[in-house]
Amino acid sequence: GQQVMQIPQYQHVQEGEDFTTYCNSSTTLSNIQWYKQRPGGHPVFLIQLVKSGEVKKQKRLTFQFGEAKKNSSLHITATQTTDVGTYFCHLNNAGNMLTFGGGTRLMVKP
Amino acid sequence: GAVVSQHPSRVICKSGTSVKIECRSLDFQATTMFWYRQFPKQSLMLMATSNEGSKATYEQGVEKDKFLINHASLTLSTLTVTSAHPEDSSFYICSARQGRKAFFGQGTRLTVV
């Protein structure tokens, strides 16, 4: 079956530092979505990546989809306290199986 | 984005009773909805896929008779936790798919005492 690894599990950064979370799949993906969940809240859709090698930006957030469509990353430049939360990747493979990564919990020190 | 409403947001019930959680897609029709369970500081675990007009598809290890799912219309799916026990206490979240995107409800925090 499909295996997903999201790293790191936790990340503490000083406000202003950069942050990156990685999501790796054992199988080729149709697409990948990224979600953010604030403490006590529900996952909120951030972005979807579909094309091999795709790069998308949302203000300080940069999302990448690997050439082989097996991995993806989310990079935040100059973190702010509002970036605190858990970031999940959500995978959809050719068999239409949906799986969440384990999440990366980001903590930002002001 | 699309809106998915989940109700109630919090519920406390006595052990042995049943609890119904509703998930509604407010501005789109969803032939497929998903139910997840999330333990503290952990990821979302898919419990079942709810299909409008047919039986739900449950993930391995999820008891069908304990977690009853009904998807009676294109905008509503319900999850009923039957004969709840303290170990069923958790955060339950639904999502509805619109195209390739999934939109989540606000979640229901269930506490069984």
Side-chain angles (χ1 to χ4, degrees), chain A residues 12-100:
Chain A
H12 291 257
V13 299
Q14 196 71 39
E15 189 172 21
E17 291 181 339
D18 292 355
F19 159 78
T20 306
T21 173
Y22 301 89
C23 197
N24 299 301
S25 169
S26 60
T27 60
T28 302
L29 303 170
S30 297
N31 60 74
I32 188 167
Q33 295 118 18
W34 285 93
Y35 291 82
K36 176 183 178 180
Q37 185 177 23
R38 292 180 183 275
H42 62 282
V44 174
F45 176 83
L46 294 177
I47 207 152
Q48 177 174 269
L49 304 171
V50 180
K51 299 177 183 177
S52 169
E54 189 170 15
V55 178
K56 287 188 176 180
K57 291 191 176 183
Q58 287 180 352
K59 297 183 180 178
R60 294 179 295 103
L61 276 62
T62 302
F63 304 85
Q64 289 189 322
F65 202 8
E67 293 289 342
K69 299 183 74 172
K70 286 188 174 182
N71 55 70
S72 180
S73 65
L74 184 171
H75 179 82
I76 302 178
T77 304
T79 55
Q80 299 175 358
T81 54
T82 52
D83 296 325
V84 164
T86 302
Y87 293 84
F88 292 100
C89 58
H90 185 234
L91 315 182
N92 188 349
N93 68 12
N96 213 31
M97 290 181 62
L98 304 174
T99 308
F100 273 98

